[in-house]
Amino acid sequence: MSELKESAKQILAALGGEENIASATHCVTRLRLALLDEGKVDKEALENIDVVRGSFSTNGQFQVVIGQGTVDKVYKEFISLAGISEATKEETKKAAAQNLNPLQRAVKMLADIFIPILPAIVTAGLLMGINNILTAPGIFGEQSVVEMFPQWADFANIIHLIANTAFVFLPGLIGWSAVKRFGGNELLGIVLGLMLVHPDLLNAWAYGEAQEAGTIPYWNLFGFDVAKVGYQGQVLPILVAAYVLAKIEIALKKRVPDGFQLLVVAPIALLVTGFIAFIAIGPVTFAIGNGITAIFVGIFDNFSFLGGLLYGAIYAPLVITGMHHTFLAVDLQLIGSIGGTFLWPIVALSNIAQGSAALAMYFILKDEKVKGLSFTSAVSAYLGITEPAMFGVNLRYRFPFICAVIGSAIAAMWITLNSVVASSIGVGGLPGIFSIQAGQWLVFAIGMVIAVVVPLVLTFIFAKTRKNI
């Protein structure tokens, strides 16, 4: 029996045998499994297998970290031994969803909507960082680069346009992903999202000023006034409208003969949803979104010390449950409403802290296998991907995870006391500094130093009290 086949056999046994496997697929580095009963997993035996670098459970899926280049070979042996056919990621997700409670399903729904659009959002954040370098004063001198070298002004302006597009047309991105998630035609979702930010509408960012001046435009629909307002930067209006659009489309497809669907389904679904969006969904969810924004802003304005401390402490535990995805919607809402988010910088610091704790374990551990995982996962966390560090190392020994949480909380407290804000969502970890608003880089850099040093030192101190590490 080949070495990989033996490893696959050991993995299957540690997972509770073939009768415990509902579905299995893999990504670049991990086996992704839907298990019938996660209580049957022998984690200690699983993580002692040579090819296994760690394991964790999230969103109803049990994931086994193996590594790039090896995971696909192990997967083929695994499904052969388990007697199951290859499954797509969507099939495994659906099987895993059966293990979720209603709250977990709601969180998973948000994750399914927002994760696909993250590449566009993160790219926009990185490009905004480049724009900040060119346009912000005080970085290379009293004047900004474009003020010192005016010939670079148009170059910076084009970068800003490219970077800002994802946020200006955010409802279009969310509309595509949300309608697809709810089972409708994603192209109609794009149209719906762009409709909510049509240039004929009053720009949402000018709404407050127009309200004070009494110049908000209205449609008159049979005696009813409907505000002619766009929803730039808003998250809730397009989420709810996308759900309504998808459900209307699905209902019509069941009732309209195939030969007439092209002429009936999409026009009626989009027309009805459009009217409902402007008459009811938009105004109500706009008010709710602004209320959510006001709550978070109020907490961090009046209790910045406590807000930073708590969010810095709970973010990593939220990652374990998968509930951290819900805050992506809040970040986007804050960016759309007030021009920046004070939550996302804390995420970047949490990633750094987890990486630092894992790096400390590299110098502490004697087991060469976990030692190697500690170093590579620390680098990954510093670049924004924390799962290998958290699930492969820090949670395995517990105290590094706690030390990372303490470091993250202290660093978060520091930056919130100094009102650090990110212009956009970028790459978590060390590159996160490029998403921070210009003029706050030094303060954030100090927060990064805290997130590196505190977990490193605390992990070393705790390790001295432990034996057989």
Side-chain angles (χ1 to χ4, degrees), residues 144-202:
S144 66
V145 171
V146 296
E147 287 174 330
M148 291 187 287
F149 306 99
Q151 64 269 29
W152 285 88
D154 287 341
F155 179 77
N157 188 263
I158 292 175
I159 291 177
H160 180 265
L161 183 146
I162 295 170
N164 201 36
T165 297
F167 292 103
V168 170
F169 298 104
L170 180 64
L173 297 177
I174 297 175
W176 164 76
S177 188
V179 172
K180 183 179 179 181
R181 169 61 179 79
F182 295 134
N185 185 331
E186 56 263 40
L187 293 178
L188 293 182
I190 295 173
V191 175
L192 177 66
L194 295 180
M195 181 182 71
L196 294 179
V197 292
H198 195 284
D200 282 354
L201 302 171
L202 172 68

Side-chain angles (χ1 to χ4, degrees), residues 35-161:
L35 304 181
L36 297 176
D37 183 2
E38 291 190 6
K40 293 182 178 180
V41 176
D42 186 341
K43 285 203 70 170
E44 185 177 350
L46 179 65
E47 295 183 0
N48 281 330
I49 300 168
D50 288 341
V51 297
V52 175
R53 299 183 180 180
S55 63
F56 60 95
S57 178
T58 181
N59 291 327
Q61 283 189 24
F62 193 86
Q63 303 193 20
V64 182
V65 184
I66 291 177
Q68 189 174 359
T70 305
V71 65
D72 54 337
K73 298 172 185 175
V74 173
Y75 173 72
K76 288 179 181 178
E77 299 289 355
F78 180 85
I79 61 173
S80 174
L81 290 167
I84 58 175
S85 59
E86 290 192 28
T88 65
K89 291 180 183 178
E90 288 303 317
E91 288 170 339
T92 301
K93 281 182 179 180
K94 287 179 181 178
Q98 304 305 313
N99 300 324
L100 302 178
N101 61 42
L103 177 60
Q104 290 173 320
R105 290 184 184 183
V107 171
K108 181 180 180 298
M109 178 196 71
L110 288 175
D112 289 343
I113 292 171
F114 286 105
I115 288 176
I117 69 172
L118 267 182
I121 302 299
V122 170
T123 299
L126 287 173
L127 292 176
M128 282 187 174
I130 296 173
N131 182 70
N132 285 343
I133 294 172
L134 294 172
T135 60
I139 297 177
F140 301 105
E142 290 186 6
Q143 294 181 312
S144 66
V145 171
V146 296
E147 287 174 330
M148 291 187 287
F149 306 99
Q151 64 269 29
W152 285 88
D154 287 341
F155 179 77
N157 188 263
I158 292 175
I159 291 177
H160 180 265
L161 183 146

Side-chain angles (χ1 to χ4, degrees), residues 180-402:
K180 183 179 179 181
R181 169 61 179 79
F182 295 134
N185 185 331
E186 56 263 40
L187 293 178
L188 293 182
I190 295 173
V191 175
L192 177 66
L194 295 180
M195 181 182 71
L196 294 179
V197 292
H198 195 284
D200 282 354
L201 302 171
L202 172 68
N203 193 301
W205 290 306
Y207 178 80
E209 185 178 336
Q211 189 177 41
E212 288 183 11
T215 58
I216 296 176
Y218 288 90
W219 287 297
N220 186 279
L221 298 178
F222 311 107
F224 293 97
D225 289 333
V226 177
K228 196 177 177 181
V229 177
Y231 296 95
Q232 287 84 356
Q234 297 293 309
V235 174
L236 286 178
I238 183 58
L239 278 179
V240 177
Y243 178 81
V244 171
L245 174 65
K247 295 307 175 184
I248 292 175
E249 183 190 357
I250 292 168
L252 287 172
K253 280 185 175 180
K254 291 179 179 178
R255 292 165 175 80
V256 177
D258 291 348
F260 295 94
Q261 287 195 2
L262 182 63
L263 298 174
V264 174
V265 174
I268 292 179
L270 198 58
L271 188 65
V272 171
T273 306
F275 272 89
I276 295 174
F278 286 115
I279 294 171
I281 295 173
V284 172
T285 54
F286 186 74
I288 294 172
N290 286 338
I292 293 172
T293 300
I295 290 171
F296 277 93
V297 170
I299 292 172
F300 278 80
D301 277 351
N302 297 298
F303 309 99
S304 57
F305 175 96
L306 184 61
L309 183 70
L310 289 178
Y311 194 61
I314 68 169
Y315 183 78
L318 285 175
V319 173
I320 299 173
T321 65
M323 290 185 68
H324 63 299
H325 294 301
T326 59
F327 285 91
L328 177 57
V330 178
D331 280 315
L332 293 174
Q333 178 71 33
L334 288 170
I335 292 169
S337 300
I338 64 174
T341 171
F342 39 77
L343 295 178
W344 188 84
I346 297 174
V347 174
L349 295 179
S350 178
N351 290 352
I352 294 170
Q354 291 294 331
S356 299
L359 183 62
M361 294 303 288
Y362 171 75
F363 297 102
I364 294 167
L365 292 169
K366 298 174 183 177
D367 185 321
E368 288 298 323
K369 177 188 169 186
V370 188
K371 188 180 179 76
L373 175 61
S374 299
F375 182 78
T376 56
S377 63
V379 174
S380 175
Y382 284 148
L383 296 176
I385 307 298
T386 57
E387 282 84 355
M390 284 179 58
F391 296 106
V393 181
N394 296 346
L395 283 170
R396 179 184 295 192
Y397 297 97
R398 295 186 183 179
F399 71 90
F401 181 78
I402 295 170

